[in-house]
Amino acid sequence: MDISSILQGGYQHPLSRQWQGRRALTKSMLMYPIFITDDPDASVEIKTLPGQRRWGVNKLEGFLGPLVQKGLSSVILFGVPFKCQKDGRGTPADDPQGPVIQAIHKLRTLFPSLYIACDVCLCEYTSHGHCGVLNQDGTIHTAPSVARIAEVALNYAKAGAHCVAPSDMMDGRIKAIKRALVDAGYGNRCTLMSYSAKFASALYGPFRDAAGSAPAFGDRKCYQLPPTAKGLARRAIQRDVGEGADIIMVKPALPYLDVIADAAQLAPDHPLACYQVSGEYAMVCAGADAGVYDLKVMAFETVESMVRAGATLILTYFAPQFMDWLDV
Ligand SMILES: NCc1[nH]cc(CCC(=O)O)c1CC(=O)O
Ligand SMILES: [Zn+2]
Ligand SMILES: [Zn+2]
């Protein structure tokens, strides 16, 4: 055999295999999405997301304590209110007595070292289930949407969130949120993570079920990106960098590894996040249940493919399991 044909000499040993990855997956690269509901004592199984629950604020200590102990370093909060009055502008989103703001206060006291990000969106709080404020005809009214989203983000920052992460995909919201944070004195204290390239995906089903955030009519195709739109994704990433995003995100992750790789090249100086969304997680679990593969091996393969594509931060429902699987 010709010398240039030989690759296997380079990965015969577990350590030399590790050296072949440009970056190794570590615990601090994983952010855990959690659902907080407005019954303070709730611990309710989510059928379509095996192993995940809706938590009340009183349960957070018992639920997260052991995970923080094992090395979980960040969470992203999603509010799931049931008792509130939803309306056209998503008023309950930043209710000081609502689940997200209550959870921020609680987590800051319970776990001083835990990094707390908050998803910012209106769909969990609007009567129509869309991510912004609507015109009479049901289309998105961009200016008031952006203003309301910036207001919610600022209120999460004021409550103590380390990071606000708008997932609504409204044009101009990154600039508006950054402006609001800076003007209120939070510019240097709160990270702005943009869901920059968020695609209109079939993989959000279990999340919408968990969060009760499915739109009452229509779909999200006028604000989330078409799955084929590589160009729009690249433009959205560049725009959000220009508007002041601190972290760029691609979502979903596995079907969009090329977009992650593009983002790594377009925004090489920013942390790059990707979201292994609810449907991706459910798919990995379902395949394992069907005997197609081993769950742990597949969870590693999917998440490590995201690292290989260029992600430096991964939002995943597998985070608790990785705390057991990873050494550092
Ligand atoms: N702003 C809504 C939102 N925020 C996070 C997710 C998906 C997360 C997941 O599927 O795990 C969605 C879904 C959607 O657009 O309906
Ligand atoms: Zn939304
Ligand atoms: Zn969201």
Side-chain angles (χ1 to χ4, degrees), residues 118-182:
C118 287
D119 182 86
V120 178
C121 205
L122 302 184
C123 55
E124 296 99 325
Y125 310 97
T126 48
S127 40
H128 45 68
H130 278 283
C131 301
V133 176
L134 303 182
N135 289 309
Q136 291 288 346
D137 64 359
T139 56
I140 291 281
H141 198 173
T142 307
S145 298
V146 165
R148 176 66 187 132
I149 284 157
E151 182 176 59
V152 173
L154 178 58
N155 283 329
Y156 291 166
K158 286 180 174 169
H162 298 104
C163 172
V164 290
S167 62
D168 53 282
M169 289 296 282
M170 299 302 141
D171 282 337
R173 89 267 202 226
I174 297 305
K175 187 187 277 180
I177 294 171
K178 196 67 170 187
R179 185 80 265 155
L181 291 174
V182 170

Short mmCIF file of all heavy atoms in Angstrom, two decimals, residues 118-182:
data_model
loop_
_atom_site.label_atom_id
_atom_site.label_comp_id
_atom_site.label_asym_id
_atom_site.label_seq_id
_atom_site.Cartn_x
_atom_site.Cartn_y
_atom_site.Cartn_z
N CYS A 118 -32.63 33.25 29.13
CA CYS A 118 -34.08 33.20 28.99
C CYS A 118 -34.44 33.30 27.52
O CYS A 118 -34.01 34.23 26.85
CB CYS A 118 -34.73 34.39 29.70
SG CYS A 118 -34.70 34.26 31.47
N ASP A 119 -35.23 32.35 27.06
CA ASP A 119 -35.81 32.49 25.73
C ASP A 119 -36.77 33.67 25.78
O ASP A 119 -37.53 33.82 26.72
CB ASP A 119 -36.56 31.21 25.36
CG ASP A 119 -37.17 31.24 23.97
OD1 ASP A 119 -36.45 30.89 23.02
OD2 ASP A 119 -38.35 31.63 23.84
N VAL A 120 -36.69 34.52 24.77
CA VAL A 120 -37.62 35.66 24.70
C VAL A 120 -38.51 35.47 23.49
O VAL A 120 -38.03 35.42 22.36
CB VAL A 120 -36.86 37.00 24.57
CG1 VAL A 120 -37.85 38.15 24.45
CG2 VAL A 120 -35.90 37.20 25.73
N CYS A 121 -39.80 35.31 23.74
CA CYS A 121 -40.76 35.22 22.65
C CYS A 121 -42.15 35.49 23.21
O CYS A 121 -42.36 35.44 24.40
CB CYS A 121 -40.73 33.86 21.97
SG CYS A 121 -41.34 34.00 20.26
N LEU A 122 -43.07 35.78 22.30
CA LEU A 122 -44.43 36.08 22.77
C LEU A 122 -45.38 34.90 22.61
O LEU A 122 -46.46 34.89 23.20
CB LEU A 122 -44.98 37.31 22.02
CG LEU A 122 -44.15 38.60 22.15
CD1 LEU A 122 -44.86 39.75 21.44
CD2 LEU A 122 -43.89 38.96 23.62
N CYS A 123 -44.99 33.88 21.80
CA CYS A 123 -45.97 32.85 21.43
C CYS A 123 -46.55 32.08 22.61
O CYS A 123 -47.69 31.63 22.55
CB CYS A 123 -45.38 31.89 20.41
SG CYS A 123 -43.83 31.11 20.90
N GLU A 124 -45.78 31.93 23.68
CA GLU A 124 -46.31 31.23 24.85
C GLU A 124 -47.32 32.10 25.62
O GLU A 124 -47.98 31.62 26.53
CB GLU A 124 -45.17 30.84 25.82
CG GLU A 124 -44.17 29.84 25.25
CD GLU A 124 -42.89 30.52 24.75
OE1 GLU A 124 -42.99 31.66 24.21
OE2 GLU A 124 -41.82 29.91 24.89
N TYR A 125 -47.42 33.38 25.24
CA TYR A 125 -48.21 34.33 26.03
C TYR A 125 -49.27 35.07 25.25
O TYR A 125 -50.03 35.85 25.82
CB TYR A 125 -47.26 35.36 26.67
CG TYR A 125 -46.09 34.72 27.39
CD1 TYR A 125 -44.85 34.59 26.77
CD2 TYR A 125 -46.25 34.19 28.67
CE1 TYR A 125 -43.78 33.98 27.42
CE2 TYR A 125 -45.19 33.57 29.32
CZ TYR A 125 -43.95 33.47 28.69
OH TYR A 125 -42.91 32.86 29.33
N THR A 126 -49.30 34.88 23.93
CA THR A 126 -50.32 35.57 23.14
C THR A 126 -51.55 34.67 22.97
O THR A 126 -51.43 33.44 22.91
CB THR A 126 -49.80 35.94 21.73
OG1 THR A 126 -49.18 34.80 21.14
CG2 THR A 126 -48.81 37.09 21.79
N SER A 127 -52.72 35.32 22.86
CA SER A 127 -53.97 34.57 22.69
C SER A 127 -53.98 33.82 21.36
O SER A 127 -54.58 32.77 21.23
CB SER A 127 -55.16 35.52 22.79
OG SER A 127 -54.87 36.74 22.12
N HIS A 128 -53.27 34.35 20.35
CA HIS A 128 -53.25 33.74 19.02
C HIS A 128 -52.08 32.79 18.83
O HIS A 128 -51.99 32.09 17.83
CB HIS A 128 -53.23 34.82 17.94
CG HIS A 128 -52.26 35.94 18.22
ND1 HIS A 128 -50.90 35.76 18.20
CD2 HIS A 128 -52.46 37.24 18.58
CE1 HIS A 128 -50.30 36.90 18.50
NE2 HIS A 128 -51.23 37.82 18.74
N GLY A 129 -51.14 32.76 19.77
CA GLY A 129 -50.03 31.82 19.68
C GLY A 129 -48.95 32.18 18.67
O GLY A 129 -48.04 31.38 18.42
N HIS A 130 -49.01 33.37 18.08
CA HIS A 130 -47.93 33.79 17.19
C HIS A 130 -46.83 34.49 18.00
O HIS A 130 -47.05 34.91 19.14
CB HIS A 130 -48.46 34.67 16.05
CG HIS A 130 -49.05 33.85 14.94
ND1 HIS A 130 -48.27 33.18 14.02
CD2 HIS A 130 -50.35 33.55 14.63
CE1 HIS A 130 -49.05 32.52 13.18
NE2 HIS A 130 -50.31 32.72 13.52
N CYS A 131 -45.66 34.62 17.38
CA CYS A 131 -44.48 35.09 18.10
C CYS A 131 -44.40 36.62 18.20
O CYS A 131 -43.48 37.16 18.82
CB CYS A 131 -43.22 34.53 17.45
SG CYS A 131 -43.19 32.73 17.44
N GLY A 132 -45.34 37.33 17.56
CA GLY A 132 -45.33 38.78 17.61
C GLY A 132 -46.74 39.32 17.77
O GLY A 132 -47.68 38.59 18.05
N VAL A 133 -46.84 40.63 17.57
CA VAL A 133 -48.13 41.32 17.63
C VAL A 133 -48.70 41.34 16.21
O VAL A 133 -47.95 41.52 15.24
CB VAL A 133 -47.93 42.76 18.17
CG1 VAL A 133 -49.22 43.54 18.17
CG2 VAL A 133 -47.31 42.71 19.56
N LEU A 134 -50.00 41.12 16.07
CA LEU A 134 -50.59 40.97 14.74
C LEU A 134 -51.37 42.20 14.28
O LEU A 134 -51.92 42.95 15.10
CB LEU A 134 -51.55 39.77 14.71
CG LEU A 134 -50.97 38.41 15.10
CD1 LEU A 134 -52.03 37.33 14.96
CD2 LEU A 134 -49.74 38.07 14.25
N ASN A 135 -51.41 42.37 12.96
CA ASN A 135 -52.35 43.32 12.34
C ASN A 135 -53.75 42.72 12.36
O ASN A 135 -53.92 41.52 12.61
CB ASN A 135 -51.94 43.58 10.88
CG ASN A 135 -50.66 44.40 10.77
OD1 ASN A 135 -50.54 45.45 11.38
ND2 ASN A 135 -49.70 43.89 9.99
N GLN A 136 -54.75 43.54 12.02
CA GLN A 136 -56.15 43.08 11.91
C GLN A 136 -56.28 41.81 11.05
O GLN A 136 -57.03 40.90 11.38
CB GLN A 136 -57.02 44.19 11.26
CG GLN A 136 -57.23 45.42 12.12
CD GLN A 136 -58.17 45.16 13.29
OE1 GLN A 136 -58.87 44.15 13.33
NE2 GLN A 136 -58.21 46.07 14.24
N ASP A 137 -55.52 41.80 9.95
CA ASP A 137 -55.66 40.69 8.99
C ASP A 137 -54.84 39.45 9.38
O ASP A 137 -54.75 38.51 8.61
CB ASP A 137 -55.27 41.18 7.59
CG ASP A 137 -53.79 41.59 7.51
OD1 ASP A 137 -53.07 41.51 8.53
OD2 ASP A 137 -53.35 41.98 6.40
N GLY A 138 -54.23 39.47 10.56
CA GLY A 138 -53.51 38.28 11.02
C GLY A 138 -52.05 38.23 10.61
O GLY A 138 -51.34 37.28 10.96
N THR A 139 -51.59 39.24 9.87
CA THR A 139 -50.17 39.28 9.54
C THR A 139 -49.40 39.93 10.70
O THR A 139 -49.99 40.60 11.55
CB THR A 139 -49.92 40.08 8.25
OG1 THR A 139 -50.48 41.40 8.43
CG2 THR A 139 -50.57 39.42 7.06
N ILE A 140 -48.09 39.72 10.71
CA ILE A 140 -47.26 40.27 11.80
C ILE A 140 -47.12 41.79 11.67
O ILE A 140 -46.82 42.29 10.59
CB ILE A 140 -45.85 39.63 11.76
CG1 ILE A 140 -45.91 38.15 12.15
CG2 ILE A 140 -44.87 40.39 12.66
CD1 ILE A 140 -46.02 37.87 13.63
N HIS A 141 -47.34 42.48 12.75
CA HIS A 141 -47.12 43.93 12.80
C HIS A 141 -45.74 44.14 13.42
O HIS A 141 -45.57 44.05 14.64
CB HIS A 141 -48.22 44.58 13.65
CG HIS A 141 -48.35 46.05 13.42
ND1 HIS A 141 -49.35 46.80 13.97
CD2 HIS A 141 -47.59 46.91 12.70
CE1 HIS A 141 -49.20 48.07 13.61
NE2 HIS A 141 -48.15 48.16 12.84
N THR A 142 -44.76 44.40 12.57
CA THR A 142 -43.37 44.30 13.00
C THR A 142 -42.98 45.31 14.07
O THR A 142 -42.39 44.92 15.10
CB THR A 142 -42.42 44.45 11.79
OG1 THR A 142 -42.82 43.50 10.80
CG2 THR A 142 -40.99 44.16 12.19
N ALA A 143 -43.29 46.60 13.87
CA ALA A 143 -42.80 47.61 14.82
C ALA A 143 -43.27 47.35 16.27
O ALA A 143 -42.44 47.28 17.18
CB ALA A 143 -43.17 49.01 14.34
N PRO A 144 -44.56 47.17 16.50
CA PRO A 144 -44.97 46.89 17.88
C PRO A 144 -44.48 45.54 18.39
O PRO A 144 -44.26 45.38 19.61
CB PRO A 144 -46.51 46.93 17.83
CG PRO A 144 -46.89 46.88 16.41
CD PRO A 144 -45.72 47.35 15.61
N SER A 145 -44.28 44.58 17.49
CA SER A 145 -43.74 43.28 17.91
C SER A 145 -42.34 43.47 18.49
O SER A 145 -42.02 42.99 19.58
CB SER A 145 -43.64 42.32 16.73
OG SER A 145 -44.91 42.05 16.19
N VAL A 146 -41.51 44.19 17.72
CA VAL A 146 -40.13 44.40 18.13
C VAL A 146 -40.07 45.20 19.44
O VAL A 146 -39.30 44.88 20.35
CB VAL A 146 -39.36 45.12 16.99
CG1 VAL A 146 -38.04 45.67 17.48
CG2 VAL A 146 -39.14 44.15 15.84
N ALA A 147 -40.93 46.23 19.55
CA ALA A 147 -40.93 47.04 20.76
C ALA A 147 -41.31 46.20 21.98
O ALA A 147 -40.69 46.29 23.04
CB ALA A 147 -41.91 48.21 20.60
N ARG A 148 -42.31 45.35 21.82
CA ARG A 148 -42.78 44.52 22.94
C ARG A 148 -41.73 43.46 23.31
O ARG A 148 -41.47 43.21 24.49
CB ARG A 148 -44.10 43.86 22.52
CG ARG A 148 -44.67 42.90 23.53
CD ARG A 148 -45.11 43.57 24.81
NE ARG A 148 -45.50 42.57 25.79
CZ ARG A 148 -45.09 42.57 27.05
NH1 ARG A 148 -44.31 43.52 27.54
NH2 ARG A 148 -45.47 41.61 27.87
N ILE A 149 -41.09 42.88 22.30
CA ILE A 149 -40.07 41.86 22.55
C ILE A 149 -38.87 42.48 23.28
O ILE A 149 -38.31 41.89 24.21
CB ILE A 149 -39.68 41.17 21.22
CG1 ILE A 149 -40.81 40.20 20.83
CG2 ILE A 149 -38.34 40.44 21.32
CD1 ILE A 149 -40.87 39.87 19.36
N ALA A 150 -38.50 43.70 22.88
CA ALA A 150 -37.39 44.38 23.54
C ALA A 150 -37.73 44.68 25.00
O ALA A 150 -36.88 44.58 25.90
CB ALA A 150 -37.04 45.67 22.80
N GLU A 151 -38.99 45.04 25.24
CA GLU A 151 -39.44 45.33 26.60
C GLU A 151 -39.36 44.07 27.48
O GLU A 151 -38.85 44.11 28.61
CB GLU A 151 -40.89 45.83 26.52
CG GLU A 151 -41.54 46.23 27.80
CD GLU A 151 -42.95 46.80 27.54
OE1 GLU A 151 -43.82 46.09 26.97
OE2 GLU A 151 -43.17 47.97 27.90
N VAL A 152 -39.80 42.95 26.93
CA VAL A 152 -39.75 41.68 27.68
C VAL A 152 -38.29 41.31 27.98
O VAL A 152 -37.94 40.95 29.10
CB VAL A 152 -40.46 40.55 26.90
CG1 VAL A 152 -40.25 39.21 27.59
CG2 VAL A 152 -41.95 40.85 26.74
N ALA A 153 -37.44 41.42 26.96
CA ALA A 153 -36.02 41.08 27.15
C ALA A 153 -35.41 41.93 28.25
O ALA A 153 -34.69 41.41 29.13
CB ALA A 153 -35.27 41.28 25.83
N LEU A 154 -35.68 43.21 28.23
CA LEU A 154 -35.12 44.09 29.25
C LEU A 154 -35.62 43.70 30.64
O LEU A 154 -34.85 43.69 31.61
CB LEU A 154 -35.47 45.55 28.94
CG LEU A 154 -34.98 46.59 29.96
CD1 LEU A 154 -33.45 46.53 30.13
CD2 LEU A 154 -35.41 48.00 29.55
N ASN A 155 -36.88 43.33 30.74
CA ASN A 155 -37.41 42.94 32.05
C ASN A 155 -36.79 41.64 32.56
O ASN A 155 -36.61 41.47 33.76
CB ASN A 155 -38.93 42.88 32.02
CG ASN A 155 -39.54 44.27 32.06
OD1 ASN A 155 -38.97 45.19 32.66
ND2 ASN A 155 -40.68 44.45 31.41
N TYR A 156 -36.43 40.74 31.66
CA TYR A 156 -35.72 39.53 32.09
C TYR A 156 -34.31 39.90 32.57
O TYR A 156 -33.81 39.37 33.56
CB TYR A 156 -35.63 38.51 30.96
CG TYR A 156 -36.94 37.86 30.56
CD1 TYR A 156 -37.05 37.15 29.36
CD2 TYR A 156 -38.09 37.95 31.35
CE1 TYR A 156 -38.24 36.55 28.97
CE2 TYR A 156 -39.29 37.35 30.97
CZ TYR A 156 -39.36 36.65 29.78
OH TYR A 156 -40.53 36.05 29.38
N ALA A 157 -33.67 40.82 31.84
CA ALA A 157 -32.33 41.26 32.25
C ALA A 157 -32.39 41.92 33.62
O ALA A 157 -31.56 41.65 34.50
CB ALA A 157 -31.75 42.22 31.21
N LYS A 158 -33.39 42.77 33.82
CA LYS A 158 -33.54 43.45 35.11
C LYS A 158 -33.78 42.45 36.24
O LYS A 158 -33.36 42.66 37.37
CB LYS A 158 -34.71 44.44 35.06
CG LYS A 158 -34.40 45.71 34.28
CD LYS A 158 -35.60 46.65 34.28
CE LYS A 158 -35.25 47.99 33.61
NZ LYS A 158 -36.44 48.81 33.36
N ALA A 159 -34.48 41.36 35.92
CA ALA A 159 -34.76 40.34 36.93
C ALA A 159 -33.51 39.53 37.28
O ALA A 159 -33.48 38.83 38.28
CB ALA A 159 -35.88 39.41 36.45
N GLY A 160 -32.47 39.61 36.42
CA GLY A 160 -31.23 38.92 36.73
C GLY A 160 -30.78 37.89 35.72
O GLY A 160 -29.84 37.13 35.98
N ALA A 161 -31.43 37.83 34.56
CA ALA A 161 -30.98 36.89 33.53
C ALA A 161 -29.57 37.27 33.06
O ALA A 161 -29.31 38.46 32.82
CB ALA A 161 -31.95 36.89 32.36
N HIS A 162 -28.70 36.28 32.90
CA HIS A 162 -27.36 36.56 32.36
C HIS A 162 -27.40 36.74 30.86
O HIS A 162 -26.49 37.29 30.26
CB HIS A 162 -26.40 35.41 32.67
CG HIS A 162 -26.18 35.18 34.13
ND1 HIS A 162 -26.75 34.13 34.83
CD2 HIS A 162 -25.47 35.87 35.04
CE1 HIS A 162 -26.38 34.18 36.09
NE2 HIS A 162 -25.60 35.23 36.26
N CYS A 163 -28.45 36.20 30.24
CA CYS A 163 -28.52 36.17 28.79
C CYS A 163 -29.98 36.20 28.36
O CYS A 163 -30.82 35.52 28.96
CB CYS A 163 -27.86 34.88 28.29
SG CYS A 163 -28.05 34.53 26.53
N VAL A 164 -30.29 37.00 27.35
CA VAL A 164 -31.62 36.98 26.76
C VAL A 164 -31.49 36.48 25.32
O VAL A 164 -30.56 36.86 24.61
CB VAL A 164 -32.33 38.35 26.82
CG1 VAL A 164 -32.71 38.69 28.25
CG2 VAL A 164 -31.48 39.46 26.20
N ALA A 165 -32.43 35.62 24.93
CA ALA A 165 -32.31 34.94 23.64
C ALA A 165 -33.62 35.02 22.87
O ALA A 165 -34.52 34.20 23.06
CB ALA A 165 -31.93 33.47 23.87
N PRO A 166 -33.76 36.04 22.02
CA PRO A 166 -35.00 36.19 21.26
C PRO A 166 -35.13 35.13 20.16
O PRO A 166 -34.25 34.99 19.33
CB PRO A 166 -34.87 37.59 20.65
CG PRO A 166 -33.41 37.86 20.61
CD PRO A 166 -32.80 37.12 21.76
N SER A 167 -36.26 34.41 20.18
CA SER A 167 -36.47 33.33 19.22
C SER A 167 -37.61 33.62 18.25
O SER A 167 -38.07 32.74 17.54
CB SER A 167 -36.77 32.02 19.96
OG SER A 167 -37.95 32.14 20.71
N ASP A 168 -38.03 34.88 18.21
CA ASP A 168 -39.22 35.26 17.45
C ASP A 168 -38.98 35.45 15.95
O ASP A 168 -39.90 35.35 15.15
CB ASP A 168 -39.74 36.58 18.00
CG ASP A 168 -38.62 37.61 18.04
OD1 ASP A 168 -37.79 37.54 18.97
OD2 ASP A 168 -38.54 38.45 17.13
N MET A 169 -37.73 35.79 15.58
CA MET A 169 -37.37 36.01 14.17
C MET A 169 -38.00 37.26 13.54
O MET A 169 -38.15 37.33 12.31
CB MET A 169 -37.67 34.77 13.32
CG MET A 169 -36.74 33.60 13.59
SD MET A 169 -35.02 33.95 13.17
CE MET A 169 -35.06 33.78 11.37
N MET A 170 -38.35 38.25 14.36
CA MET A 170 -38.86 39.51 13.79
C MET A 170 -37.67 40.35 13.29
O MET A 170 -36.64 40.43 13.97
CB MET A 170 -39.60 40.32 14.86
CG MET A 170 -40.81 39.62 15.44
SD MET A 170 -42.01 39.20 14.17
CE MET A 170 -42.54 37.58 14.75
N ASP A 171 -37.85 41.01 12.14
CA ASP A 171 -36.78 41.87 11.62
C ASP A 171 -36.50 43.01 12.59
O ASP A 171 -37.42 43.67 13.06
CB ASP A 171 -37.21 42.47 10.27
CG ASP A 171 -37.08 41.47 9.14
OD1 ASP A 171 -36.29 40.51 9.27
OD2 ASP A 171 -37.76 41.66 8.12
N GLY A 172 -35.23 43.24 12.87
CA GLY A 172 -34.83 44.41 13.65
C GLY A 172 -34.83 44.22 15.15
O GLY A 172 -34.50 45.15 15.89
N ARG A 173 -35.15 43.02 15.62
CA ARG A 173 -35.28 42.89 17.10
C ARG A 173 -33.93 42.88 17.81
O ARG A 173 -33.87 43.29 18.97
CB ARG A 173 -36.14 41.69 17.49
CG ARG A 173 -35.39 40.39 17.67
CD ARG A 173 -35.38 39.60 16.39
NE ARG A 173 -35.15 38.19 16.70
CZ ARG A 173 -34.28 37.42 16.06
NH1 ARG A 173 -33.54 37.91 15.09
NH2 ARG A 173 -34.14 36.16 16.39
N ILE A 174 -32.88 42.46 17.14
CA ILE A 174 -31.59 42.42 17.84
C ILE A 174 -31.13 43.85 18.14
O ILE A 174 -30.74 44.18 19.27
CB ILE A 174 -30.54 41.65 17.00
CG1 ILE A 174 -30.97 40.19 16.84
CG2 ILE A 174 -29.15 41.74 17.64
CD1 ILE A 174 -31.25 39.45 18.13
N LYS A 175 -31.23 44.70 17.13
CA LYS A 175 -30.86 46.11 17.34
C LYS A 175 -31.71 46.74 18.44
O LYS A 175 -31.20 47.45 19.32
CB LYS A 175 -31.04 46.89 16.02
CG LYS A 175 -30.51 48.31 16.08
CD LYS A 175 -30.87 49.08 14.81
CE LYS A 175 -29.88 48.80 13.68
NZ LYS A 175 -30.22 49.54 12.44
N ALA A 176 -33.01 46.47 18.41
CA ALA A 176 -33.92 47.08 19.40
C ALA A 176 -33.63 46.57 20.81
O ALA A 176 -33.64 47.35 21.78
CB ALA A 176 -35.37 46.79 19.02
N ILE A 177 -33.35 45.30 20.95
CA ILE A 177 -33.07 44.74 22.28
C ILE A 177 -31.74 45.29 22.79
O ILE A 177 -31.62 45.69 23.95
CB ILE A 177 -33.04 43.19 22.25
CG1 ILE A 177 -34.43 42.64 21.91
CG2 ILE A 177 -32.56 42.64 23.59
CD1 ILE A 177 -34.46 41.15 21.65
N LYS A 178 -30.74 45.31 21.91
CA LYS A 178 -29.42 45.82 22.32
C LYS A 178 -29.56 47.27 22.80
O LYS A 178 -29.00 47.66 23.83
CB LYS A 178 -28.44 45.73 21.14
CG LYS A 178 -26.99 45.86 21.54
CD LYS A 178 -26.56 44.64 22.37
CE LYS A 178 -25.07 44.61 22.59
NZ LYS A 178 -24.64 43.36 23.25
N ARG A 179 -30.29 48.07 22.03
CA ARG A 179 -30.53 49.47 22.38
C ARG A 179 -31.18 49.57 23.76
O ARG A 179 -30.75 50.33 24.62
CB ARG A 179 -31.45 50.06 21.30
CG ARG A 179 -31.77 51.53 21.36
CD ARG A 179 -30.66 52.39 20.79
NE ARG A 179 -29.77 52.86 21.85
CZ ARG A 179 -28.51 53.22 21.70
NH1 ARG A 179 -27.92 53.15 20.52
NH2 ARG A 179 -27.79 53.62 22.70
N ALA A 180 -32.24 48.76 23.98
CA ALA A 180 -32.97 48.80 25.25
C ALA A 180 -32.04 48.41 26.40
O ALA A 180 -32.05 49.04 27.46
CB ALA A 180 -34.18 47.87 25.19
N LEU A 181 -31.21 47.38 26.18
CA LEU A 181 -30.29 46.94 27.24
C LEU A 181 -29.26 48.03 27.55
O LEU A 181 -29.01 48.35 28.71
CB LEU A 181 -29.56 45.65 26.81
CG LEU A 181 -30.40 44.37 26.70
CD1 LEU A 181 -29.55 43.24 26.12
CD2 LEU A 181 -30.96 43.95 28.06
N VAL A 182 -28.71 48.61 26.50
CA VAL A 182 -27.69 49.64 26.68
C VAL A 182 -28.28 50.86 27.39
O VAL A 182 -27.72 51.36 28.37
CB VAL A 182 -27.07 50.04 25.32
CG1 VAL A 182 -26.19 51.28 25.45
CG2 VAL A 182 -26.26 48.89 24.74
#
